[in-house]
Amino acid sequence: MNHTYVIIMAGGVGTRFWPFSRTSYPKQFHDVLGTGRTLLQQTADRFDGICPSENIFIVTSSLYKNLCQQQLPQLSDDQVLCEPIARNTAPCIAYACYKIAQRDPEANIVVAPADHIILKQDDFQRTIRTALAATQDQDILVTLGIQPSRPDTGYGYIQYIPAANTEQAPLRVKTFTEKPHLELARQFLESGEFVWNAGIFVWNVQAIIRAFEAYLPEVAEIFEEGRSAYYTDHEAAFVDKAYSLTKSVSIDNGVMEKADNVYVVLSDFGWSDLGTWKSLYEVSDKNDDLNVIDGHIMLYDTKNCIIKTPKDRLVVVNGLDGFIVAEYDNVLMICRKEEEQKVKAFVADAKERGAEFV
C-alpha cells in the first residue's frame, strides 16, 4: 500500500487577484499562466509519481465542489472535502488529516496550497521526496523554506540552525515568525539565517495529530469525534457541526510557532505564492519592452506592464509604464503596479456597488 497522501488547500478567494479572482470563481480555478491547465490542475499534476491519484484530497469551500470535480474528474466524492464556512488553515488541515488517519494510520502527508507556482518540477519532487523520507518514521513537522529575495511582510519567516551537511536534509527550526512588520523582516534578511515559509508542509499523520492534541486541543477534540462519520453518509452533517464549533486559526499560529519538533528543508524550485498581480508579472515571460501580455492586445510606447484581457476584445494601450491592466467578466481594472496593495480596497468598494462585481 502506498502510504503517501497529498492534501491540496483550495478554499481561498484570492482577493488580491481581482477582477480575475471572484468569490464565485477564485484564482486557483483559472489558467493564470496561459498553460492550458488551471493552478489547481497544475498543483495536482505536480504530485504525479509522488502518490496515486486516489490519495489526493482537496479541501475547499462547498461553493467550489463542482469546480473541483470538473477540473479534477479523477477524484471521487470522498476526495473533495467541503468546508461549510472558512476557518483558516488549521481546521482545514485537521479535517483532512483526521479523515486520512481513519483510513490509513501510517499515512505520510504533504499539504500544499492550490494557487502556488513551481517552475522547477523535478527539483520540487526531489525536495518533497527528501521531506517524506524524513517524516516517514519520525515525530517531526517539516516545512519547506525558500531563500528570501526581499523583506516581504506577507510571508512567514523561519530561522533555522545550520548544519555541516545541508544536502537537503531537514534542519532544525529555531524560530517561526508569521508575517513580521517591515523593520523585522529587514533584520531577518540581513542576518542570513532566515528563509520564507513556502506554506508547504510534510508530516506523518500521527505526528500532526499529536501536535493538534498538544497545541490546539479543542480542534483535535472536535475532529477526533468525526472518526465514525468519515467516509459515511453522516460526514457532511458532522462537518457542518464541527465547523460551527471551531475557531478561525492558521496552522502557522496554532501549531508551527509553538511546536518544538519543527524542521525545514531548504528549497530552490522556482516558487511563487502568486499572491498578487506583481508576483504574476515577476514569474511570467516578458517581451522586449518588459511587458507581460495575455489577450488580443496592441501596444504603443508601453513598458513594464502586465495586461490580461479577454481574447475576444481588441485592446489598444498607448503610453503606459508600470501598470496592471486587467479585465474579466465586466470589470476592468487599471492600476499602477507599485500600488497593487490598493486592490483589496477596490474590492471592498466594488462590493458596495453590487455582488456581481466581486
Side-chain angles (χ1 to χ4, degrees):
M1 181 179 180
N2 189 318
H3 295 292
T4 303
Y5 292 77
V6 173
I7 297 167
I8 299 174
M9 300 181 289
V13 176
T15 308
R16 290 178 296 171
F17 239 100
W18 186 79
F20 274 82
S21 199
R22 307 285 185 91
T23 304
S24 60
Y25 209 88
K27 67 174 177 179
Q28 60 266 30
F29 302 110
H30 288 271
D31 175 13
V32 172
L33 293 177
T35 61
R37 300 287 280 170
T38 68
L39 292 176
L40 174 64
Q41 289 171 324
Q42 286 186 321
T43 303
D45 294 347
R46 210 165 282 144
F47 292 98
D48 283 353
I50 297 286
C51 79
S53 63
E54 60 266 26
N55 287 11
I56 293 177
F57 288 77
I58 312 293
V59 190
T60 189
S61 162
S62 50
L63 296 171
Y64 310 137
K65 181 179 183 182
N66 290 340
L67 275 172
C68 287
Q69 291 179 318
Q70 286 164 18
Q71 295 196 0
L72 297 173
Q74 70 271 31
L75 302 189
S76 69
D77 267 1
D78 268 328
Q79 291 171 264
V80 182
L81 282 56
C82 294
E83 298 182 290
I85 44 177
R87 280 290 183 262
N88 214 319
T89 52
C92 151
I93 290 169
Y95 174 19
C97 287
Y98 276 89
K99 178 167 176 166
I100 290 168
Q102 173 69 5
R103 173 180 286 178
D104 184 358
E106 295 179 58
N108 204 13
I109 299 171
V110 183
V111 180
D115 56 357
H116 288 188
I117 285 179
I118 308 287
L119 298 175
K120 303 175 189 173
Q121 170 84 354
D122 291 346
D123 291 340
F124 173 76
Q125 289 207 346
R126 195 158 42 246
T127 305
I128 290 292
R129 290 182 197 281
T130 297
L132 284 166
T135 57
Q136 187 171 349
D137 300 311
Q138 295 186 74
D139 182 17
I140 60 175
L141 310 175
V142 172
T143 184
L144 305 189
I146 308 294
Q147 190 63 43
S149 57
R150 60 188 181 276
D152 199 302
T153 58
Y155 298 143
Y157 284 73
I158 299 163
Q159 183 183 26
Y160 61 91
I161 300 169
N165 176 22
T166 59
E167 278 299 302
Q168 279 215 320
L171 301 173
R172 194 167 193 103
V173 168
K174 193 173 178 181
T175 62
F176 197 106
T177 308
E178 177 69 349
K179 296 180 180 175
H181 58 74
L182 185 59
E183 187 48 44
L184 193 56
R186 283 201 184 104
Q187 290 172 20
F188 287 171
L189 211 64
E190 287 165 8
S191 76
E193 297 176 5
F194 290 78
V195 287
W196 283 335
N197 169 25
I200 300 169
F201 304 103
V202 185
W203 43 55
N204 71 61
V205 77
Q206 301 305 329
I208 190 60
I209 285 175
R210 277 192 288 271
F212 277 120
E213 289 169 349
Y215 306 112
L216 288 174
E218 65 282 6
V219 173
E221 190 178 338
I222 288 166
F223 288 99
E224 177 68 38
E225 283 179 11
R227 282 191 182 272
S228 60
Y230 300 134
Y231 306 100
T232 75
D233 294 341
H234 305 294
E235 183 171 337
F238 162 75
V239 170
D240 282 348
K241 181 187 170 194
Y243 271 75
S244 71
L245 296 173
T246 189
K247 63 185 180 184
S248 179
V249 58
S250 72
I251 195 73
D252 307 85
N253 293 140
V255 173
M256 304 303 280
E257 287 184 11
K258 298 171 183 171
D260 58 5
N261 60 337
V262 178
Y263 285 73
V264 62
V265 174
L266 303 185
S267 310
D268 178 14
F269 41 67
W271 172 87
S272 169
D273 76 337
L274 207 64
T276 64
W277 283 105
K278 197 172 171 187
S279 62
L280 176 59
Y281 175 82
E282 286 167 358
V283 300
S284 298
D285 293 333
K286 299 165 189 69
N287 66 12
D288 292 344
D289 294 316
L290 300 179
N291 294 310
V292 174
I293 52 175
D294 182 4
H296 192 187
I297 299 161
M298 294 165 56
L299 298 180
Y300 302 88
D301 188 26
T302 292
K303 58 188 178 182
N304 304 310
C305 290
I306 178 165
I307 303 169
K308 192 170 172 65
T309 56
K311 302 266 192 300
D312 60 357
R313 183 194 298 278
L314 176 62
V315 175
V316 182
V317 178
N318 178 69
L320 289 188
D321 183 356
F323 273 78
I324 303 160
V325 179
E327 182 186 355
Y328 182 76
D329 194 19
N330 290 326
V331 176
L332 169 66
M333 182 188 75
I334 302 169
C335 173
R336 286 189 184 280
K337 221 164 53 197
E338 295 306 319
E339 296 181 352
E340 65 170 4
Q341 70 276 8
K342 292 183 176 177
V343 173
K344 279 200 168 186
F346 301 159
V347 174
D349 292 344
K351 189 174 274 186
E352 292 181 12
R353 298 206 173 207
E356 72 270 23
F357 298 123
V358 293

